[in-house]
């Protein structure tokens, strides 16, 4: 008996398994199998079925608006970092190959996988793009680069692009909710591999079988180590997710051609659960869909260009400094953070003497000190003369960082931090913050998103051209030609 396509997808996704089985049994006059005996389909197949079944019509207006918000924010971050030397290196490597995907900021194109890499490097470089915190933190907007590249190369519609972005966010965030790979020494872009493979494959209109193979191929040979984010941090800190996107897009291209990958990639004897994450369970039935909120609505847009665990510290530190007045009155600073905040931003000696921009923007003591002295954190806060400032380095020696288990228990939508200044006379001035502006609990308005965008792009375009670009980006869902839209972002075009 041939099942309808929707029933096949639901069965593959593990959804309504008992009703489908019951209908089959009834049709053949056989008893239904108990739910406990229903076949468990491999996770890669369930993710592929979810991706295949997701439609633009399943996405509500609030989610479409959020997609546009994150696209605008992410592109602004990339334009802001366009002239940075490491970003230029990635761009030049990508431009050595021709293709049909735009390198954003130029009027030139390369292959979709290399465009994913070069654009993703720019988007992430300043650590200013969005973030999501589950069992650890990730930057789902790193997936916008591959979605744009593949959508342009495939001449996909704006609706297809938006659906792919929602899909990539959903898979990445839900996997982060379910599986903690960071405590086992693996880098967060691990979760980008299946997310981008599925989003790229959906834009390529792959069927569920080929989407499954894209996931298998993306994961097996591209698991990054967390050394990227400990001790002295390098240029690669901002590029690891761009590399994951490049690999995932390439995997989708191979799957489209008919290549198969190792399976079952998650449950296998030497698969993901055994080698990388440890045992885990992912309930694909709970993923966003019509009537079920999508995880992009829980993502935060950063108000400051620094790692997520420092965002609330900055807010708290600025308020403490205002109340203290003269910082010379401070004898000591205590910073209470979460377990992950301590691990990533205050648990290593390198964080008290940063030698690179990448280490400085992951240093809780440096960022807190800089915020207290300057009343803000900007991209300029991480220039070598700034993080090498003797006055700041001396002040940092007054700072201690520790985990507060109460704060750790609250992490999720909240990323709590407490900053306490102990004055020379023994008085304590303390401020605790759970959310920074732009977090899901305090979302940015359109005006605030535009203000951040303008701050990132600066004078690279005349003000009136920036206005036109913002207008075009807010109309993303009505865009008829993505190549034309991306062409508007060229910094080399005549003005």
């Amino acid at each position: 008996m041939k099942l309808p396509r929707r029933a096949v997808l639901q069965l593959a996704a593990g959804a309504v398994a008992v009703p489908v089985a019951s209908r089959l049994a009834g049709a053949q006059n056989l008893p239904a199998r108990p739910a406990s005996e229903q076949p468990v389909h491999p996770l890669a197949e369930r993710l592929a079925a979810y991706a295949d079944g997701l439609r633009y019509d399943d996405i509500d207006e609030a989610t479409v608006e959020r997609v546009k918000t994150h696209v605008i924010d992410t592109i602004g971050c990339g334009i802001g970092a366009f002239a940075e030397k490491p970003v230029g290196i990635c761009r030049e490597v990508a431009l050595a190959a021709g293709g049909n995907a735009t390198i954003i900021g130029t009027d030139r194109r390369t292959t979709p996988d290399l465009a994913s890499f070069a654009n993703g490097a720019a988007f992430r470089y300043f650590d200013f793009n969005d973030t999501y915190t589950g069992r650890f933190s990730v930057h789902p907007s790193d997936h916008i680069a591959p979605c744009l590249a593949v959508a342009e190369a495939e001449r996909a519609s704006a609706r297809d692009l938006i659906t792919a972005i929602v899909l990539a966010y959903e898979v990445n965030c839900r996997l982060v909710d379910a599986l903690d790979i960071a405590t086992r020494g693996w880098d967060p872009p691990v979760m980008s591999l299946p997310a981008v493979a599925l989003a790229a494959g959906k834009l390529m209109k792959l069927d569920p079988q080929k989407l499954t193979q894209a996931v298998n191929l993306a994961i097996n040979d591209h698991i990054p180590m967390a050394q990227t984010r400990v001790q002295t941090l390098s240029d690669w800190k901002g590029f690891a997710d761009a590399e994951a996107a490049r690999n995932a897009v390439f995997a989708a291209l191979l799957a489209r051609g008919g290549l198969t990958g190792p399976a079952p990639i998650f449950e296998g004897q030497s698969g993901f659960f055994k080698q990388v994450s440890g045992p885990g369970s992912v309930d694909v039935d709970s993923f966003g869909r019509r009537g079920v909120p999508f995880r992009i609505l829980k993502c935060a847009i950063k108000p400051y260009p620094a790692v997520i665990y420092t965002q609330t510290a900055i807010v708290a530190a600025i308020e403490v400094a205002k109340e203290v007045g003269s910082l010379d009155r401070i004898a000591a600073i205590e910073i209470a953070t979460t377990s992950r905040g301590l691990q990533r931003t205050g648990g290593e000696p390198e964080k008290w003497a940063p030698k690179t921009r990448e280490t400085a923007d992951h240093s809780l003591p440096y960022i807190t000190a800089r915020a207290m002295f300057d009343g803000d954190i900007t991209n300029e806060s991480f220039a070598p003369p700034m993080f090498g400032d003797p006055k700041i380095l001396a002040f940092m020696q007054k700072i201690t960082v520790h985990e507060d288990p109460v704060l750790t228990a609250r992490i999720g939508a909240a990323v709590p931090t407490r900053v306490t200044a102990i004055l020379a006379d023994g008085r304590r001035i303390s401020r605790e913050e759970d959310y920074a502006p732009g977090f899901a609990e305090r979302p940015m308005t359109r005006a605030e998103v535009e203000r951040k965008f303008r701050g990132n792009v600066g004078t690279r375009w005349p003000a009136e051209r920036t206005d036109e670009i913002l207008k075009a980006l807010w109309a993303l869902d009505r865009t008829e030609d993505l190549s034309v839209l991306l062409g508007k972002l060229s910094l080399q075009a005549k003005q």
Side-chain angles (χ1 to χ4, degrees):
M1 174 182 176
K2 186 176 181 180
L3 285 172
R5 180 174 178 272
R6 183 175 181 82
V8 172
L9 291 177
Q10 288 175 325
L11 182 60
V16 296
V18 174
V20 169
S22 297
R23 289 196 300 273
L24 279 171
Q28 300 178 37
N29 206 24
L30 295 172
R33 295 167 64 185
S36 60
E37 296 180 13
Q38 296 301 319
V40 177
H41 292 264
L43 177 56
E45 291 183 16
R46 289 182 279 132
L47 292 172
Y50 172 76
D52 182 67
L54 187 63
R55 299 289 182 266
Y56 182 83
D57 290 342
D58 298 325
I59 303 172
D60 58 283
E61 290 184 11
T63 302
V64 172
E65 174 74 6
R66 187 62 71 88
V67 168
K68 292 189 286 187
T69 295
H70 285 260
V71 167
I72 290 169
D73 181 62
T74 304
I75 288 174
C77 293
I79 295 297
F82 185 85
E84 298 298 316
K85 182 178 177 181
V87 173
I89 291 170
C90 298
R91 184 168 58 248
E92 290 306 311
V93 169
L95 287 173
N100 52 1
T102 297
I103 299 288
I104 292 175
T106 79
D107 56 3
R108 299 174 64 188
R109 298 179 183 179
T110 185
T111 60
D113 57 326
L114 288 175
S116 299
F117 176 70
N119 292 335
F123 292 170
R124 179 65 176 277
Y125 182 73
F126 281 144
D127 213 336
F128 209 0
N129 59 323
D130 73 8
T131 189
Y132 176 81
T133 302
R135 294 196 175 190
F136 52 97
S137 68
V138 291
H139 295 258
S141 56
D142 289 333
H143 308 337
I144 289 174
C147 287
L148 287 172
V150 176
E152 182 183 18
E154 298 295 318
R155 302 188 66 80
S157 70
R159 289 187 165 200
D160 288 342
L161 169 63
I162 289 170
T163 305
I165 291 173
V166 171
L167 170 62
Y169 271 72
E170 190 70 13
V171 172
N172 189 4
C173 296
R174 295 286 186 166
L175 291 178
V176 169
D177 289 342
L179 306 169
D180 187 356
I181 50 91
T183 55
R184 294 169 64 95
W186 303 109
D187 202 26
V190 167
M191 300 310 195
S192 302
L193 293 162
V196 174
L198 290 165
K202 188 167 183 66
L203 287 164
M204 296 176 192
K205 301 189 184 306
L206 303 188
D207 61 31
Q209 290 73 33
K210 289 186 175 180
L211 287 170
T212 301
Q213 296 306 329
V215 171
N216 294 342
L217 291 163
I219 290 175
N220 192 74
D221 290 288
H222 306 115
I223 304 293
M225 296 187 297
Q227 184 63 32
T228 297
R229 275 159 242 290
V230 298
Q231 298 179 282
T232 297
L233 275 60
S234 67
D235 293 335
W236 196 249
K237 183 263 290 182
F239 299 160
D241 224 323
E243 172 69 357
R246 183 182 74 86
N247 288 321
V249 170
F250 188 62
L253 290 167
L254 293 174
R256 176 162 67 178
L259 208 65
T260 61
I265 195 62
F266 288 98
E267 301 86 353
Q269 293 178 10
S270 295
F272 190 90
F273 291 151
K274 184 169 183 179
Q275 303 287 88
V276 181
S277 70
S281 175
V282 180
D283 181 12
V284 179
D285 290 348
S286 69
F287 284 21
R289 51 176 46 85
R290 186 188 296 270
V292 179
F294 292 95
R295 272 298 188 263
I296 191 172
L297 297 171
K298 295 292 187 181
C299 294
I301 291 179
K302 287 185 179 181
Y304 305 106
V307 68
I308 184 62
Y309 304 109
T310 66
Q311 299 289 310
T312 47
I314 295 167
V315 176
I318 292 171
E319 293 304 311
V320 168
K322 287 178 181 177
E323 188 170 345
V324 168
S326 172
L327 299 184
D328 292 337
R329 301 172 60 202
I330 296 176
I333 296 282
E334 295 176 352
I335 304 175
T337 184
T338 63
S339 60
R340 190 76 69 188
L342 176 63
Q343 178 188 24
R344 283 288 183 251
T345 67
E348 300 167 328
E350 290 86 354
K351 300 303 189 293
W352 269 261
K355 298 294 191 295
T356 65
R357 177 207 159 87
E358 291 74 21
T359 305
D361 72 23
H362 273 54
S363 165
L364 188 53
Y366 171 74
I367 290 168
T368 301
R370 189 87 263 170
M372 295 185 77
F373 274 85
D374 298 347
D376 198 5
I377 292 294
T378 67
N379 286 325
E380 287 68 37
S381 301
F382 303 107
M386 299 292 276
F387 64 71
D389 184 345
K391 173 183 65 179
I392 296 295
L393 293 173
F395 188 80
M396 287 166 62
Q397 300 311 306
K398 300 180 180 183
I399 296 175
T400 58
V401 181
H402 68 277
E403 179 201 353
D404 182 340
V406 174
L407 300 186
T408 297
R410 293 211 306 267
I411 198 163
V415 184
T417 313
R418 183 173 60 253
V419 176
T420 303
I422 304 168
L423 306 188
D425 62 7
R427 191 157 62 97
R428 299 171 70 89
I429 297 174
S430 185
R431 191 81 68 191
E432 184 172 306
E433 297 285 345
D434 280 347
Y435 310 105
F439 280 35
E441 298 294 325
R442 299 173 61 183
M444 288 188 184
T445 64
R446 276 197 174 197
E448 290 169 330
V449 172
E450 291 191 2
R451 189 179 307 121
K452 180 181 173 183
F453 182 88
R454 294 178 197 279
N456 273 318
V457 305
T459 59
R460 291 172 176 82
W461 298 307
E464 61 274 13
R465 186 161 176 235
T466 300
D467 291 343
E468 293 173 2
I469 288 169
L470 279 167
K471 184 178 180 180
L473 290 172
W474 284 121
L476 176 64
D477 50 329
R478 301 188 300 276
T479 297
E480 295 182 357
D481 190 325
L482 290 172
S483 290
V484 172
L485 175 62
L486 297 179
K488 294 179 184 292
L489 305 176
S490 176
L491 300 173
Q492 302 164 344
K494 294 181 180 179
Q495 301 177 9

